[in-house]
Every structure is written in C-alpha cells, then in structure tokens.
C-alpha cells in the first residue's frame, strides 16, 4: 500500500482486510493492525475466530509478512504446549482425515509414544495404529497436523511413492511443516548455539 493511503494517517490504526485463513484444523482469519504509536514492538493475540497482529505503521510489506509468520508460529507453539491427550489426538486425526482424505483414513488407534527418537511418527497399516513422537509436543499445530496427515496417508498408501505425495499435496502447509522439522533436526546436530557464551 502507498503512503497516501488514508489509513496510514498518524494516530489512526490501520485494519487490513481479513485474509483467508490457512487451511488446517485450527485455521483462523488473520487481521493486521498498523499503529503510528507503535515504534518497534510486534504483538499478536486471538480474538474470537481471528488472529490479530499489531505492528508499527512504518513497517514494510515484506517485514509485515515476516512478522505475521513469526507471530503465528509463536502463538501456535504456545497453544501446543497445552498437550493433547491420546483421545484428543485421535479426534484430531479423525477431523484431518475427513477434511483432507474424505474420511477414508480410519486409524484404530492414535497415541503419543516416548520411544521414537529417530522419527516423528510411525504407522502400522495392518493394525491401523499411528504413533507420534512426544518430541512433537509443544511444536506449532500445523506441524503436528502434518505429521498426523503423513501417517494417515500411510493407511491409504503404504510406501512413499508418487501416490502418497499426491495425497499430502491437499494439505497447504506441507512444505512449511517439513521445513520446520528439517530446521529442528539441523539445530539438534549443531555442537552449540552460535553466539552463545561458553560457560
């Protein structure tokens, strides 16, 4: 938007048109509000069925997009810390199957496990059982949803061939979730955090 936009006037918060919510079980609309009173800080909160992100009025569109993404991840991570129990996890899997696979993936059991340290999830199609690593607890909802969908897809297609990946294309945050998990794996391999003080 240009600086001539009347919504950029000093003292007037700018309410951008609500964007379509990202697909997913916890999808909400996003509203960005700009304020000339806000200098550097960015904050976000839930307001009913939408997420409100507050940013300084002078922030560029690129900075806005970056900060919206950062704040959404932060909120989702905070919410994910309220750990889902196995029953809630099974209900979530059922909703995801209905939304993305027309309800065709029907697991007999879905549960958290603490003995999976080299994989995020596993599935035994013959038993219809899905297990998610406890390490996912506390990660953003869209990441947990992606791993659940990955294992649900295995109930329909056992291997990782083209048919399998076509199923996952239905989930719009697949690449983002995979990038997040790859980042976690890469960070785990670092000998120390760059810039951290030695003790």
């Amino acid at each position: 938007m240009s600086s001539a936009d009347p919504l950029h006037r000093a003292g007037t918060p700018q309410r951008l048109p609500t964007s379509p919510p990202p697909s997913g079980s916890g999808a909400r609309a996003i509203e960005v509000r700009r304020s000339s009173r806000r200098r550097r800080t960015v904050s976000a909160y839930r307001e009913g069925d939408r997420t409100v992100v507050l940013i300084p009025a002078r922030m560029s569109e690129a900075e806005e997009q970056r900060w919206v993404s950062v704040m959404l991840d932060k909120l989702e991570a905070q919410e994910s810390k309220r750990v889902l129990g196995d029953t809630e996890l099974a209900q979530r899997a059922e909703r995801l199957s209905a939304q993305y696979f027309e309800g065709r993936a029907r697991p007999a059991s879905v549960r958290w496990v603490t003995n999976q340290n080299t994989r995020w999830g596993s599935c035994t199609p013959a038993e219809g059982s899905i297990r998610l690593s406890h390490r996912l607890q506390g990660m953003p909802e869209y990441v947990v949803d992606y791993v659940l969908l990955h294992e649900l897809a295995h109930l329909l297609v056992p291997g990782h061939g083209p048919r399998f990946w076509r199923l996952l294309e239905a989930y719009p945050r697949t690449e983002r979730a995979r990038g997040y998990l790859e980042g976690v794996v890469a960070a785990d391999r670092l000998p120390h955090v760059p810039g951290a003080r030695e003790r």
Side-chain angles (χ1 to χ4, degrees), residues 11 15 23 32-34 46 53 82 88 91 108 111 146 158 165 172 182 189 193:
R15 293 192 179 208
S23 297
V32 177
R33 296 180 188 171
R34 289 176 175 261
R46 304 295 193 196
V53 182
R82 297 192 290 272
E88 294 165 305
Q91 290 169 347
R111 61 192 175 91
Y146 164 72
W165 293 112
E182 285 168 5
R189 290 177 182 155
V193 178

Side-chain angles (χ1 to χ4, degrees), residues 2 23 35 41 47 52 60 93 99 119 133 156 181 185 188 193:
S2 70
S23 297
S35 172
T41 59
E47 186 179 82
V52 177
S60 70
Q99 185 172 358
R119 56 175 67 184
S133 171
L156 304 173
L181 292 172
V185 170
D188 284 347
V193 178

